[in-house]
Amino acid sequence: QVQLVESGGGVVQPGRSLRLSCAASGFTFSTYGMHWVRQAPGKGLEWVAIIWYDGSNKNYVDSVKGRFTISRDNSKNTVYLQVNSLRDEDTAVYYCARGGDYMDVWGKGTTVTVSS
Amino acid sequence: QSALTQPPSASGSPGQSVTISCTGTSSDVGGYNYVSWYQQHPGKAPKVMIYEVNKRPSGVPDRFSGSKSGNTASLTVSGLQAEDEADYYCSSYTGSNNFVVFGGGTKLTVL
């Protein structure tokens, strides 16, 4: 069945880095755009980034520009989010989701906790 | 890009209808027919309920409907059921580098 599985989260000190991964299965990954969306504890959803189906275009929310990088490997059916220079406010559950103007398939999320 | 504005809470009794609003600007909600709505139960991933203002994905009950007027979109849940109790988020395409913006969320309580 169609599935997205995130991994790579953890507890990390401020200023450090992580690479989040999202493995896709059950659909033709290379024909879909992919998003990262995050949710801080007890807060709402925040869109983070999108990458076009072929990786040709990427967009980011202002608060992560220059620190986060979205990428994909269509041969591995995987999308990544490199998160650098982490701040306390980056603590959240990070979801990957399939789609363009809307997100029709979501993973269960991976938790990133930034703490000294 | 500011978040879209939703009421923090809404409620209704079983069988009733409730409408949740989502207000943006002419740069997002008002400028495009790309408004979507997501349902999120505690501890779970979001699920799309409405996309492109008023389209329902396969498997979503027809009790859920969407509309838009100007810069405000709305989600209506008719015939409320206990399982509809959840958080609901609207989102809109923005046509800018901040590709998508979400609303702050509305907690729907079924009394």
Side-chain angles (χ1 to χ4, degrees):
Chain A
Q1 73 277 24
V2 175
Q3 193 173 5
L4 298 172
V5 179
E6 303 93 336
S7 61
V11 180
V12 61
Q13 293 178 328
R16 304 298 291 264
S17 300
L18 280 176
R19 188 175 82 156
L20 309 182
S21 300
C22 169
S25 59
F27 64 98
T28 305
F29 179 73
S30 61
T31 64
Y32 286 90
M34 295 295 296
H35 298 264
W36 286 96
V37 176
R38 68 183 178 181
Q39 187 169 34
K43 302 297 184 181
L45 302 174
E46 180 183 33
W47 176 80
V48 174
I50 183 175
I51 186 166
W52 258 231
Y53 69 100
D54 59 355
S56 62
N57 201 8
K58 306 170 187 180
N59 295 93
Y60 302 90
V61 68
D62 287 344
S63 59
V64 309
K65 284 178 183 174
R67 299 190 300 123
F68 290 12
T69 302
I70 190 171
S71 62
R72 66 190 297 157
D73 186 337
N74 284 345
S75 69
K76 295 182 178 179
N77 289 349
T78 301
V79 61
Y80 304 98
L81 187 68
Q82 179 70 37
V83 296
N84 298 333
S85 303
L86 280 162
R87 305 168 179 169
D88 290 348
E89 56 264 34
D90 295 320
T91 293
V93 175
Y94 285 74
Y95 296 99
C96 67
R98 184 182 81 171
D101 61 280
Y102 72 100
M103 300 142 205
D104 64 344
V105 179
W106 294 67
K108 294 184 178 182
T110 187
T111 300
V112 173
T113 302
V114 183
S115 174
S116 53
Chain B
Q1 193 81 27
S2 300
L4 306 177
T5 300
Q6 298 181 235
S9 63
S11 63
S13 299
Q16 288 187 332
S17 294
V18 65
T19 297
I20 299 170
S21 63
C22 169
T23 301
T25 70
S26 58
S27 297
D28 38 64
V29 174
Y32 309 94
N33 288 324
Y34 291 132
V35 175
S36 49
W37 290 89
Y38 302 87
Q39 176 192 66
Q40 187 180 35
H41 288 108
K44 301 294 187 181
K47 172 187 175 184
V48 63
M49 305 303 283
I50 295 289
Y51 67 98
E52 293 172 7
V53 177
N54 56 16
K55 298 177 182 177
R56 262 181 296 105
S58 173
V60 172
D62 60 6
R63 302 184 294 103
F64 291 84
S65 62
S67 63
K68 190 185 86 167
S69 178
N71 295 337
T72 299
S74 299
L75 172 72
T76 298
V77 186
S78 305
L80 271 174
Q81 298 182 5
E83 60 261 35
D84 299 333
E85 185 162 296
D87 293 325
Y88 291 83
Y89 295 91
C90 63
S91 77
S92 176
Y93 171 70
T94 69
S96 72
N97 285 335
N98 289 306
F99 194 85
V100 165
V101 63
F102 281 98
T106 297
K107 182 175 182 60
L108 175 61
T109 300
V110 180
L111 302 170

